[in-house]
Amino acid sequence: TYDYVIVGAGNAGLVVANRLTENPKIQVLVLEAGISDENVLPVIVPFLGPTATPNTPFDWNYTVTPQTNLDNRAFPYPRGKILGGCSTVNYMTHHYGSSDDYDKLARDTGDAGWSWNNMQKYIQAHEKFVPPADGHNTTGQFIPEKHGFKGVTSISLPGNSQGIDARVLSTLDELKSEFPFNPDMGGGDILGIGWAQSSIGNGTRSSSSTSYLRDANSRPNLHVLIHATVTKLIPNGFKNGRVSFGGVMFTSTNTAIRLPSFVYATKEIILSAGSIGTPQILLLSGIGPKKELSAMGIPTIIDNASVGKNMSEHVLVPNIFQVTGSESLDELLRGGSFLDTSLAQWTANKTGPLSNSVTNQLGFLRLPQNSSIFQTVPDPSTGPKSSHFEFVIANFWLNPGISVPATGRFFTIVTALISPTSRGFVKLASTDPFKAPIINPQLLSTAFDRFAIREAVKATKRFASASAWKDYIIAPFGSNNATTDDEIDAHVRSLASTVFHPIGTATMTKAGASWGVVDPNLKLKGAEGIRIVDASVWPTIPNAHTQGPTYLVAERASDLIKADQ
Ligand code: FAD
């Protein structure tokens, strides 16, 4: 037996594993369904990040159900199945969201511990801000006071300058009333467009595995088992009038015969299987909506209607332009000699285009206050410092899931819906734990969401009309030439997917609330012995790519767990 069993060696799970084993007397076992990340080149070389998924051996290879509001398209829905989880396969954009996100979380849960005021200290614990791969002078590209320099995970500014950098900055100057420059969105103030910060150090990916696990790996009290798929939580009686859980059932998948094994925790089980894995395990264990469980023939242990519900996502739409010259990085995507020389450069000294993430600039923007939608729909953003949509600016064809055409040069402004009001769900498709659950994010199912993403696409057109792009952009590519609302809606429906940021499927609410899956201390409602620590506990999606908020939740969760020891 162990003091703690952590389910999932992902983004959050490895933070908790590291923090709990700081005490040499505490024995921790982490069970991870996926493989080791050692020597897996696509997850090490930053620019190759997008090739780590979908449909690879380190992806769960999920697919969303056909999306009614996206021309009934189903599309791949990657999740990392590897040490580090999604932090090992993601695109490495790194920040924490708006201070409003945390203050709303504190208000909604009645726990001031989640407020921005309190959570900022975890940035110091988590972050090790390091120089970019090319060692350029970063003055004016970030605000040092907002960062940590002695934490665990390496974070850096873009490590390879791009031909379009000057054009973006010139646009921010020319159109500053609509697109102001943000000197640093890494610390709560996210509005405006500025330099991207990424989980990269020394030109290589910094994941929860290469940071939190590597940092703790030599501790004799930390045990990590890979190829171990957890299939059920095991109850062991009643405590304080609630069902108590003391163990988990898992199956090793690298053995010829798959037999279930059991392991027990004397203190707690920490469920960190992510926004898809966590509700799946809860449902398989009889924790969820009784009606759904009964329909599957699963005896209900805890009837909780919220498990797997309230799923929220950032909808992504690539807006692609055809461009002139040789500044774009499309040749890297096509393989060939540019990729060969770039790989040689990266191998030699971890610099060059491959040492960088997919973007040098991104930013968060609000709809104008007098937008017509606000006559009928209340503003769903988490507060005035929060956004409705995002721009991610890429110097190449950035269209997840659709390969770059054989010829042509491209520039992409990805738009993402940041304050969605649509809610989806994760449900069991089968009682077989090795079968993927049903994942339906119900994207763009509300009038607000369709309005906001349409306005975001229109904003890209105004951005691209600045004088800096006149000698660069030839024409919008494909359906990006849409001009009327109907045409823009069709463009969105045909291309939209997600930024792969699911949250909310094990929502945190006030103790005693009529809905929700965990209390503000992350303990499973109605149970003893289980805590949930991953992105699934966020009730409202933060104004961020979700690894940063996940790291902060996991850092505070570790303190909450330690406080109960
Ligand atoms: P995960 O990191 O997914 O961890 C869950 C772990 O549990 C995994 O290792 C999984 O294999 C394991 N697991 C699941 N089920 C079981 C089981 N039954 N038994 C044992 N183990 C199990 N965020 C950003 O901030 N920036 C980005 O640029 C960005 N890009 C992304 C790109 C992609 C392709 C993807 C997929 C995600 C991206 N994200 C990004 C999102 C971000 O990475 C995630 O929100 C975050 O890492 C989730 O952390 P987590 O701990 O909740 O889950």
Side-chain angles (χ1 to χ4, degrees), residues 8 10-12 32-33 53 60 78 80-82 85-86 90-93 228 230 272-274 281 500-501 534-535 545-547 550:
N11 193 155
E32 166 58 45
T53 62
W60 283 84
K81 191 176 184 183
I82 187 166
C86 288
N90 69 18
Y91 291 13
M92 291 155 286
T93 298
V230 171
S272 297
I281 294 168
F500 318 123
H501 292 168
D534 58 30
H545 295 244
T546 39
Q547 69 171 347
T550 305

PDB file of all heavy atoms in Angstrom, residues 8 10-12 32-33 53 60 78 80-82 85-86 90-93 228 230 272-274 281 500-501 534-535 545-547 550, ligand 1:
ATOM      1  N   GLY A   8      -3.099   8.906 -13.251  1.00  0.00           N
ATOM      2  CA  GLY A   8      -2.745   9.779 -14.374  1.00  0.00           C
ATOM      3  C   GLY A   8      -1.482  10.571 -14.094  1.00  0.00           C
ATOM      4  O   GLY A   8      -1.453  11.429 -13.203  1.00  0.00           O
ATOM      5  N   GLY A  10      -0.217  12.938 -15.731  1.00  0.00           N
ATOM      6  CA  GLY A  10      -0.361  13.993 -16.723  1.00  0.00           C
ATOM      7  C   GLY A  10       0.106  15.336 -16.197  1.00  0.00           C
ATOM      8  O   GLY A  10       0.932  15.421 -15.279  1.00  0.00           O
ATOM      9  N   ASN A  11      -0.446  16.350 -16.793  1.00  0.00           N
ATOM     10  CA  ASN A  11      -0.092  17.723 -16.463  1.00  0.00           C
ATOM     11  C   ASN A  11      -0.209  17.954 -14.947  1.00  0.00           C
ATOM     12  O   ASN A  11       0.756  18.294 -14.266  1.00  0.00           O
ATOM     13  CB  ASN A  11      -1.044  18.636 -17.250  1.00  0.00           C
ATOM     14  CG  ASN A  11      -0.644  20.088 -17.289  1.00  0.00           C
ATOM     15  OD1 ASN A  11      -1.008  20.808 -18.198  1.00  0.00           O
ATOM     16  ND2 ASN A  11       0.101  20.551 -16.315  1.00  0.00           N
ATOM     17  N   ALA A  12      -1.388  17.668 -14.395  1.00  0.00           N
ATOM     18  CA  ALA A  12      -1.622  17.934 -12.972  1.00  0.00           C
ATOM     19  C   ALA A  12      -1.062  16.832 -12.079  1.00  0.00           C
ATOM     20  O   ALA A  12      -0.469  17.112 -11.028  1.00  0.00           O
ATOM     21  CB  ALA A  12      -3.125  18.091 -12.719  1.00  0.00           C
ATOM     22  N   GLU A  32      -0.134   5.408 -14.793  1.00  0.00           N
ATOM     23  CA  GLU A  32      -0.318   6.111 -16.058  1.00  0.00           C
ATOM     24  C   GLU A  32      -0.590   5.108 -17.171  1.00  0.00           C
ATOM     25  O   GLU A  32       0.190   4.171 -17.377  1.00  0.00           O
ATOM     26  CB  GLU A  32       0.935   6.948 -16.373  1.00  0.00           C
ATOM     27  CG  GLU A  32       1.033   7.466 -17.795  1.00  0.00           C
ATOM     28  CD  GLU A  32      -0.151   8.333 -18.229  1.00  0.00           C
ATOM     29  OE1 GLU A  32      -0.581   9.209 -17.461  1.00  0.00           O
ATOM     30  OE2 GLU A  32      -0.660   8.092 -19.352  1.00  0.00           O
ATOM     31  N   ALA A  33      -1.673   5.348 -17.909  1.00  0.00           N
ATOM     32  CA  ALA A  33      -2.050   4.426 -18.989  1.00  0.00           C
ATOM     33  C   ALA A  33      -1.064   4.475 -20.147  1.00  0.00           C
ATOM     34  O   ALA A  33      -0.890   3.493 -20.864  1.00  0.00           O
ATOM     35  CB  ALA A  33      -3.450   4.777 -19.488  1.00  0.00           C
ATOM     36  N   THR A  53       0.207  14.738 -32.273  1.00  0.00           N
ATOM     37  CA  THR A  53      -1.193  14.306 -32.344  1.00  0.00           C
ATOM     38  C   THR A  53      -1.734  14.810 -33.673  1.00  0.00           C
ATOM     39  O   THR A  53      -1.117  15.695 -34.271  1.00  0.00           O
ATOM     40  CB  THR A  53      -2.037  14.927 -31.213  1.00  0.00           C
ATOM     41  OG1 THR A  53      -2.031  16.347 -31.363  1.00  0.00           O
ATOM     42  CG2 THR A  53      -1.547  14.512 -29.850  1.00  0.00           C
ATOM     43  N   TRP A  60      -4.642   9.489 -27.081  1.00  0.00           N
ATOM     44  CA  TRP A  60      -5.782   8.604 -26.820  1.00  0.00           C
ATOM     45  C   TRP A  60      -6.627   8.418 -28.084  1.00  0.00           C
ATOM     46  O   TRP A  60      -7.492   7.551 -28.126  1.00  0.00           O
ATOM     47  CB  TRP A  60      -6.661   9.161 -25.681  1.00  0.00           C
ATOM     48  CG  TRP A  60      -6.062   8.935 -24.331  1.00  0.00           C
ATOM     49  CD1 TRP A  60      -5.141   9.708 -23.706  1.00  0.00           C
ATOM     50  CD2 TRP A  60      -6.341   7.849 -23.445  1.00  0.00           C
ATOM     51  NE1 TRP A  60      -4.822   9.174 -22.480  1.00  0.00           N
ATOM     52  CE2 TRP A  60      -5.550   8.038 -22.284  1.00  0.00           C
ATOM     53  CE3 TRP A  60      -7.188   6.741 -23.491  1.00  0.00           C
ATOM     54  CZ2 TRP A  60      -5.580   7.145 -21.205  1.00  0.00           C
ATOM     55  CZ3 TRP A  60      -7.220   5.861 -22.407  1.00  0.00           C
ATOM     56  CH2 TRP A  60      -6.409   6.066 -21.284  1.00  0.00           C
ATOM     57  N   PRO A  78      -7.501  15.066 -29.696  1.00  0.00           N
ATOM     58  CA  PRO A  78      -6.311  14.500 -29.039  1.00  0.00           C
ATOM     59  C   PRO A  78      -6.256  14.734 -27.539  1.00  0.00           C
ATOM     60  O   PRO A  78      -6.747  15.758 -27.042  1.00  0.00           O
ATOM     61  CB  PRO A  78      -5.152  15.232 -29.719  1.00  0.00           C
ATOM     62  CG  PRO A  78      -5.711  16.218 -30.652  1.00  0.00           C
ATOM     63  CD  PRO A  78      -7.190  16.111 -30.666  1.00  0.00           C
ATOM     64  N   GLY A  80      -3.056  13.599 -24.542  1.00  0.00           N
ATOM     65  CA  GLY A  80      -1.783  12.910 -24.378  1.00  0.00           C
ATOM     66  C   GLY A  80      -1.921  11.622 -23.579  1.00  0.00           C
ATOM     67  O   GLY A  80      -2.531  11.614 -22.508  1.00  0.00           O
ATOM     68  N   LYS A  81      -1.356  10.535 -24.132  1.00  0.00           N
ATOM     69  CA  LYS A  81      -1.343   9.247 -23.424  1.00  0.00           C
ATOM     70  C   LYS A  81       0.127   8.876 -23.257  1.00  0.00           C
ATOM     71  O   LYS A  81       0.658   7.982 -23.915  1.00  0.00           O
ATOM     72  CB  LYS A  81      -2.093   8.195 -24.252  1.00  0.00           C
ATOM     73  CG  LYS A  81      -2.373   6.907 -23.512  1.00  0.00           C
ATOM     74  CD  LYS A  81      -3.206   5.971 -24.372  1.00  0.00           C
ATOM     75  CE  LYS A  81      -3.587   4.721 -23.608  1.00  0.00           C
ATOM     76  NZ  LYS A  81      -4.326   3.784 -24.439  1.00  0.00           N
ATOM     77  N   ILE A  82       0.776   9.587 -22.358  1.00  0.00           N
ATOM     78  CA  ILE A  82       2.230   9.557 -22.255  1.00  0.00           C
ATOM     79  C   ILE A  82       2.589  10.274 -20.957  1.00  0.00           C
ATOM     80  O   ILE A  82       1.783  11.087 -20.459  1.00  0.00           O
ATOM     81  CB  ILE A  82       2.823  10.293 -23.497  1.00  0.00           C
ATOM     82  CG1 ILE A  82       4.336  10.172 -23.582  1.00  0.00           C
ATOM     83  CG2 ILE A  82       2.377  11.747 -23.581  1.00  0.00           C
ATOM     84  CD1 ILE A  82       4.904  10.591 -24.946  1.00  0.00           C
ATOM     85  N   GLY A  85       1.164  13.651 -19.921  1.00  0.00           N
ATOM     86  CA  GLY A  85      -0.180  13.828 -20.473  1.00  0.00           C
ATOM     87  C   GLY A  85      -0.192  14.876 -21.576  1.00  0.00           C
ATOM     88  O   GLY A  85       0.695  14.903 -22.439  1.00  0.00           O
ATOM     89  N   CYS A  86      -1.187  15.747 -21.532  1.00  0.00           N
ATOM     90  CA  CYS A  86      -1.310  16.761 -22.586  1.00  0.00           C
ATOM     91  C   CYS A  86      -0.157  17.770 -22.540  1.00  0.00           C
ATOM     92  O   CYS A  86       0.161  18.377 -23.558  1.00  0.00           O
ATOM     93  CB  CYS A  86      -2.649  17.488 -22.474  1.00  0.00           C
ATOM     94  SG  CYS A  86      -4.033  16.450 -22.967  1.00  0.00           S
ATOM     95  N   ASN A  90       1.074  19.035 -26.170  1.00  0.00           N
ATOM     96  CA  ASN A  90       0.370  20.270 -26.538  1.00  0.00           C
ATOM     97  C   ASN A  90       1.261  21.224 -27.327  1.00  0.00           C
ATOM     98  O   ASN A  90       2.390  20.897 -27.666  1.00  0.00           O
ATOM     99  CB  ASN A  90      -0.267  20.926 -25.300  1.00  0.00           C
ATOM    100  CG  ASN A  90       0.764  21.500 -24.344  1.00  0.00           C
ATOM    101  OD1 ASN A  90       1.913  21.731 -24.707  1.00  0.00           O
ATOM    102  ND2 ASN A  90       0.356  21.731 -23.117  1.00  0.00           N
ATOM    103  N   TYR A  91       0.708  22.419 -27.623  1.00  0.00           N
ATOM    104  CA  TYR A  91       1.431  23.378 -28.474  1.00  0.00           C
ATOM    105  C   TYR A  91       2.267  24.359 -27.637  1.00  0.00           C
ATOM    106  O   TYR A  91       2.801  25.327 -28.173  1.00  0.00           O
ATOM    107  CB  TYR A  91       0.442  24.141 -29.365  1.00  0.00           C
ATOM    108  CG  TYR A  91      -0.229  23.309 -30.453  1.00  0.00           C
ATOM    109  CD1 TYR A  91      -0.174  21.916 -30.459  1.00  0.00           C
ATOM    110  CD2 TYR A  91      -0.928  23.925 -31.481  1.00  0.00           C
ATOM    111  CE1 TYR A  91      -0.793  21.175 -31.453  1.00  0.00           C
ATOM    112  CE2 TYR A  91      -1.547  23.186 -32.485  1.00  0.00           C
ATOM    113  CZ  TYR A  91      -1.484  21.817 -32.457  1.00  0.00           C
ATOM    114  OH  TYR A  91      -2.098  21.094 -33.447  1.00  0.00           O
ATOM    115  N   MET A  92       2.301  24.145 -26.308  1.00  0.00           N
ATOM    116  CA  MET A  92       3.241  24.825 -25.400  1.00  0.00           C
ATOM    117  C   MET A  92       2.944  26.295 -25.069  1.00  0.00           C
ATOM    118  O   MET A  92       3.736  26.925 -24.370  1.00  0.00           O
ATOM    119  CB  MET A  92       4.684  24.714 -25.921  1.00  0.00           C
ATOM    120  CG  MET A  92       5.218  23.316 -25.834  1.00  0.00           C
ATOM    121  SD  MET A  92       6.539  22.972 -27.014  1.00  0.00           S
ATOM    122  CE  MET A  92       5.613  22.850 -28.506  1.00  0.00           C
ATOM    123  N   THR A  93       1.870  26.854 -25.604  1.00  0.00           N
ATOM    124  CA  THR A  93       1.512  28.220 -25.215  1.00  0.00           C
ATOM    125  C   THR A  93       1.270  28.220 -23.716  1.00  0.00           C
ATOM    126  O   THR A  93       0.610  27.314 -23.198  1.00  0.00           O
ATOM    127  CB  THR A  93       0.238  28.656 -25.961  1.00  0.00           C
ATOM    128  OG1 THR A  93       0.530  28.628 -27.339  1.00  0.00           O
ATOM    129  CG2 THR A  93      -0.202  30.036 -25.550  1.00  0.00           C
ATOM    130  N   ALA A 228      -0.335   1.420 -17.344  1.00  0.00           N
ATOM    131  CA  ALA A 228      -1.267   0.972 -16.292  1.00  0.00           C
ATOM    132  C   ALA A 228      -2.570   1.767 -16.409  1.00  0.00           C
ATOM    133  O   ALA A 228      -2.615   2.948 -16.053  1.00  0.00           O
ATOM    134  CB  ALA A 228      -0.638   1.172 -14.914  1.00  0.00           C
ATOM    135  N   VAL A 230      -6.179   2.595 -15.292  1.00  0.00           N
ATOM    136  CA  VAL A 230      -7.086   2.462 -14.152  1.00  0.00           C
ATOM    137  C   VAL A 230      -8.504   2.274 -14.679  1.00  0.00           C
ATOM    138  O   VAL A 230      -8.961   3.021 -15.558  1.00  0.00           O
ATOM    139  CB  VAL A 230      -6.983   3.689 -13.227  1.00  0.00           C
ATOM    140  CG1 VAL A 230      -8.076   3.662 -12.162  1.00  0.00           C
ATOM    141  CG2 VAL A 230      -5.597   3.722 -12.576  1.00  0.00           C
ATOM    142  N   SER A 272      -6.402  12.259 -11.446  1.00  0.00           N
ATOM    143  CA  SER A 272      -5.825  13.292 -12.319  1.00  0.00           C
ATOM    144  C   SER A 272      -5.773  12.773 -13.744  1.00  0.00           C
ATOM    145  O   SER A 272      -4.760  12.879 -14.422  1.00  0.00           O
ATOM    146  CB  SER A 272      -4.402  13.648 -11.851  1.00  0.00           C
ATOM    147  OG  SER A 272      -4.407  14.205 -10.563  1.00  0.00           O
ATOM    148  N   ALA A 273      -6.880  12.189 -14.186  1.00  0.00           N
ATOM    149  CA  ALA A 273      -6.895  11.550 -15.509  1.00  0.00           C
ATOM    150  C   ALA A 273      -7.365  12.500 -16.599  1.00  0.00           C
ATOM    151  O   ALA A 273      -7.554  12.099 -17.747  1.00  0.00           O
ATOM    152  CB  ALA A 273      -7.754  10.292 -15.461  1.00  0.00           C
ATOM    153  N   GLY A 274      -7.582  13.768 -16.255  1.00  0.00           N
ATOM    154  CA  GLY A 274      -7.947  14.770 -17.254  1.00  0.00           C
ATOM    155  C   GLY A 274      -9.442  14.853 -17.499  1.00  0.00           C
ATOM    156  O   GLY A 274     -10.229  14.056 -16.986  1.00  0.00           O
ATOM    157  N   ILE A 281     -13.632   7.395 -15.600  1.00  0.00           N
ATOM    158  CA  ILE A 281     -13.345   6.510 -14.458  1.00  0.00           C
ATOM    159  C   ILE A 281     -14.444   6.631 -13.397  1.00  0.00           C
ATOM    160  O   ILE A 281     -14.884   5.634 -12.819  1.00  0.00           O
ATOM    161  CB  ILE A 281     -11.953   6.833 -13.865  1.00  0.00           C
ATOM    162  CG1 ILE A 281     -10.861   6.490 -14.884  1.00  0.00           C
ATOM    163  CG2 ILE A 281     -11.717   6.077 -12.552  1.00  0.00           C
ATOM    164  CD1 ILE A 281      -9.480   7.021 -14.530  1.00  0.00           C
ATOM    165  N   PHE A 500      -8.491  22.218 -28.034  1.00  0.00           N
ATOM    166  CA  PHE A 500      -8.211  21.053 -27.175  1.00  0.00           C
ATOM    167  C   PHE A 500      -8.077  21.461 -25.711  1.00  0.00           C
ATOM    168  O   PHE A 500      -7.138  21.065 -25.032  1.00  0.00           O
ATOM    169  CB  PHE A 500      -6.953  20.306 -27.645  1.00  0.00           C
ATOM    170  CG  PHE A 500      -6.858  20.147 -29.138  1.00  0.00           C
ATOM    171  CD1 PHE A 500      -5.780  20.617 -29.859  1.00  0.00           C
ATOM    172  CD2 PHE A 500      -7.883  19.522 -29.823  1.00  0.00           C
ATOM    173  CE1 PHE A 500      -5.708  20.472 -31.236  1.00  0.00           C
ATOM    174  CE2 PHE A 500      -7.822  19.366 -31.205  1.00  0.00           C
ATOM    175  CZ  PHE A 500      -6.727  19.845 -31.911  1.00  0.00           C
ATOM    176  N   HIS A 501      -9.037  22.264 -25.248  1.00  0.00           N
ATOM    177  CA  HIS A 501      -8.995  22.782 -23.885  1.00  0.00           C
ATOM    178  C   HIS A 501     -10.221  22.362 -23.071  1.00  0.00           C
ATOM    179  O   HIS A 501     -10.824  23.213 -22.403  1.00  0.00           O
ATOM    180  CB  HIS A 501      -8.956  24.325 -23.913  1.00  0.00           C
ATOM    181  CG  HIS A 501      -7.692  24.900 -24.464  1.00  0.00           C
ATOM    182  ND1 HIS A 501      -7.566  26.236 -24.796  1.00  0.00           N
ATOM    183  CD2 HIS A 501      -6.499  24.342 -24.718  1.00  0.00           C
ATOM    184  CE1 HIS A 501      -6.343  26.473 -25.242  1.00  0.00           C
ATOM    185  NE2 HIS A 501      -5.676  25.341 -25.211  1.00  0.00           N
ATOM    186  N   ASP A 534      -7.255  18.063 -11.707  1.00  0.00           N
ATOM    187  CA  ASP A 534      -6.894  18.228 -13.123  1.00  0.00           C
ATOM    188  C   ASP A 534      -7.784  19.320 -13.702  1.00  0.00           C
ATOM    189  O   ASP A 534      -8.544  19.964 -12.977  1.00  0.00           O
ATOM    190  CB  ASP A 534      -6.993  16.898 -13.899  1.00  0.00           C
ATOM    191  CG  ASP A 534      -8.370  16.260 -13.839  1.00  0.00           C
ATOM    192  OD1 ASP A 534      -9.358  17.009 -13.726  1.00  0.00           O
ATOM    193  OD2 ASP A 534      -8.467  15.022 -13.895  1.00  0.00           O
ATOM    194  N   ALA A 535      -7.708  19.486 -15.040  1.00  0.00           N
ATOM    195  CA  ALA A 535      -8.440  20.588 -15.675  1.00  0.00           C
ATOM    196  C   ALA A 535      -9.952  20.428 -15.547  1.00  0.00           C
ATOM    197  O   ALA A 535     -10.696  21.409 -15.694  1.00  0.00           O
ATOM    198  CB  ALA A 535      -8.048  20.673 -17.149  1.00  0.00           C
ATOM    199  N   HIS A 545      -4.817  29.284 -22.598  1.00  0.00           N
ATOM    200  CA  HIS A 545      -4.569  27.906 -22.983  1.00  0.00           C
ATOM    201  C   HIS A 545      -4.425  27.194 -21.640  1.00  0.00           C
ATOM    202  O   HIS A 545      -3.813  27.725 -20.709  1.00  0.00           O
ATOM    203  CB  HIS A 545      -3.330  27.833 -23.856  1.00  0.00           C
ATOM    204  CG  HIS A 545      -3.539  28.562 -25.161  1.00  0.00           C
ATOM    205  ND1 HIS A 545      -3.525  27.931 -26.359  1.00  0.00           N
ATOM    206  CD2 HIS A 545      -3.812  29.869 -25.401  1.00  0.00           C
ATOM    207  CE1 HIS A 545      -3.784  28.810 -27.313  1.00  0.00           C
ATOM    208  NE2 HIS A 545      -3.956  30.001 -26.763  1.00  0.00           N
ATOM    209  N   THR A 546      -4.998  26.007 -21.526  1.00  0.00           N
ATOM    210  CA  THR A 546      -5.367  25.533 -20.191  1.00  0.00           C
ATOM    211  C   THR A 546      -4.266  24.853 -19.374  1.00  0.00           C
ATOM    212  O   THR A 546      -4.511  24.464 -18.240  1.00  0.00           O
ATOM    213  CB  THR A 546      -6.596  24.607 -20.299  1.00  0.00           C
ATOM    214  OG1 THR A 546      -6.445  23.803 -21.474  1.00  0.00           O
ATOM    215  CG2 THR A 546      -7.867  25.401 -20.432  1.00  0.00           C
ATOM    216  N   GLN A 547      -3.049  24.713 -19.926  1.00  0.00           N
ATOM    217  CA  GLN A 547      -2.040  24.071 -19.072  1.00  0.00           C
ATOM    218  C   GLN A 547      -1.636  24.961 -17.892  1.00  0.00           C
ATOM    219  O   GLN A 547      -1.439  24.467 -16.782  1.00  0.00           O
ATOM    220  CB  GLN A 547      -0.815  23.610 -19.862  1.00  0.00           C
ATOM    221  CG  GLN A 547       0.065  24.704 -20.419  1.00  0.00           C
ATOM    222  CD  GLN A 547       1.378  24.166 -21.000  1.00  0.00           C
ATOM    223  OE1 GLN A 547       1.739  23.019 -20.775  1.00  0.00           O
ATOM    224  NE2 GLN A 547       2.081  25.005 -21.737  1.00  0.00           N
ATOM    225  N   THR A 550      -4.069  24.743 -15.195  1.00  0.00           N
ATOM    226  CA  THR A 550      -4.015  23.386 -14.619  1.00  0.00           C
ATOM    227  C   THR A 550      -2.828  23.270 -13.661  1.00  0.00           C
ATOM    228  O   THR A 550      -2.941  22.682 -12.574  1.00  0.00           O
ATOM    229  CB  THR A 550      -3.901  22.334 -15.747  1.00  0.00           C
ATOM    230  OG1 THR A 550      -4.975  22.530 -16.657  1.00  0.00           O
ATOM    231  CG2 THR A 550      -3.954  20.917 -15.202  1.00  0.00           C
TER     232      THR A 550
HETATM  233  P1  FAD B   1      -3.721  15.462 -18.879  1.00  0.00           P
HETATM  234  O1  FAD B   1      -2.467  16.234 -19.026  1.00  0.00           O
HETATM  235  O2  FAD B   1      -4.397  14.972 -20.106  1.00  0.00           O
HETATM  236  O3  FAD B   1      -3.402  14.235 -17.917  1.00  0.00           O
HETATM  237  C1  FAD B   1      -4.220  13.115 -17.766  1.00  0.00           C
HETATM  238  C2  FAD B   1      -3.330  11.889 -17.676  1.00  0.00           C
HETATM  239  O4  FAD B   1      -4.094  10.805 -17.214  1.00  0.00           O
HETATM  240  C3  FAD B   1      -2.750  11.484 -19.030  1.00  0.00           C
HETATM  241  O5  FAD B   1      -1.384  11.227 -18.911  1.00  0.00           O
HETATM  242  C4  FAD B   1      -3.542  10.240 -19.383  1.00  0.00           C
HETATM  243  O6  FAD B   1      -2.853   9.338 -20.196  1.00  0.00           O
HETATM  244  C5  FAD B   1      -3.818   9.667 -17.996  1.00  0.00           C
HETATM  245  N1  FAD B   1      -5.008   8.808 -17.932  1.00  0.00           N
HETATM  246  C6  FAD B   1      -6.241   9.066 -18.429  1.00  0.00           C
HETATM  247  N2  FAD B   1      -7.071   8.047 -18.161  1.00  0.00           N
HETATM  248  C7  FAD B   1      -6.347   7.132 -17.462  1.00  0.00           C
HETATM  249  C8  FAD B   1      -6.650   5.854 -16.899  1.00  0.00           C
HETATM  250  N3  FAD B   1      -7.861   5.316 -17.020  1.00  0.00           N
HETATM  251  N4  FAD B   1      -5.660   5.196 -16.254  1.00  0.00           N
HETATM  252  C9  FAD B   1      -4.418   5.733 -16.120  1.00  0.00           C
HETATM  253  N5  FAD B   1      -4.087   6.924 -16.660  1.00  0.00           N
HETATM  254  C10 FAD B   1      -5.039   7.616 -17.309  1.00  0.00           C
HETATM  255  N6  FAD B   1      -2.697  24.046 -23.316  1.00  0.00           N
HETATM  256  C11 FAD B   1      -1.888  25.106 -23.246  1.00  0.00           C
HETATM  257  O7  FAD B   1      -1.831  25.753 -22.198  1.00  0.00           O
HETATM  258  N7  FAD B   1      -1.141  25.510 -24.317  1.00  0.00           N
HETATM  259  C12 FAD B   1      -1.203  24.875 -25.511  1.00  0.00           C
HETATM  260  O8  FAD B   1      -0.510  25.268 -26.455  1.00  0.00           O
HETATM  261  C13 FAD B   1      -2.053  23.749 -25.615  1.00  0.00           C
HETATM  262  N8  FAD B   1      -2.146  23.060 -26.762  1.00  0.00           N
HETATM  263  C14 FAD B   1      -2.779  21.853 -26.770  1.00  0.00           C
HETATM  264  C15 FAD B   1      -2.661  21.042 -27.900  1.00  0.00           C
HETATM  265  C16 FAD B   1      -3.174  19.755 -27.873  1.00  0.00           C
HETATM  266  C17 FAD B   1      -3.027  18.887 -29.092  1.00  0.00           C
HETATM  267  C18 FAD B   1      -3.811  19.262 -26.707  1.00  0.00           C
HETATM  268  C19 FAD B   1      -4.335  17.863 -26.661  1.00  0.00           C
HETATM  269  C20 FAD B   1      -3.961  20.081 -25.589  1.00  0.00           C
HETATM  270  C21 FAD B   1      -3.459  21.379 -25.613  1.00  0.00           C
HETATM  271  N9  FAD B   1      -3.534  22.207 -24.507  1.00  0.00           N
HETATM  272  C22 FAD B   1      -2.770  23.334 -24.455  1.00  0.00           C
HETATM  273  C23 FAD B   1      -4.367  21.858 -23.334  1.00  0.00           C
HETATM  274  C24 FAD B   1      -3.575  21.453 -22.095  1.00  0.00           C
HETATM  275  O9  FAD B   1      -2.413  20.741 -22.458  1.00  0.00           O
HETATM  276  C25 FAD B   1      -4.478  20.645 -21.168  1.00  0.00           C
HETATM  277  O10 FAD B   1      -5.607  21.394 -20.818  1.00  0.00           O
HETATM  278  C26 FAD B   1      -3.811  20.235 -19.864  1.00  0.00           C
HETATM  279  O11 FAD B   1      -2.506  19.784 -20.081  1.00  0.00           O
HETATM  280  C27 FAD B   1      -4.657  19.168 -19.191  1.00  0.00           C
HETATM  281  O12 FAD B   1      -4.027  18.692 -18.028  1.00  0.00           O
HETATM  282  P2  FAD B   1      -4.697  17.570 -17.134  1.00  0.00           P
HETATM  283  O13 FAD B   1      -3.777  17.291 -16.021  1.00  0.00           O
HETATM  284  O14 FAD B   1      -6.091  17.947 -16.834  1.00  0.00           O
HETATM  285  O15 FAD B   1      -4.829  16.289 -18.091  1.00  0.00           O
END
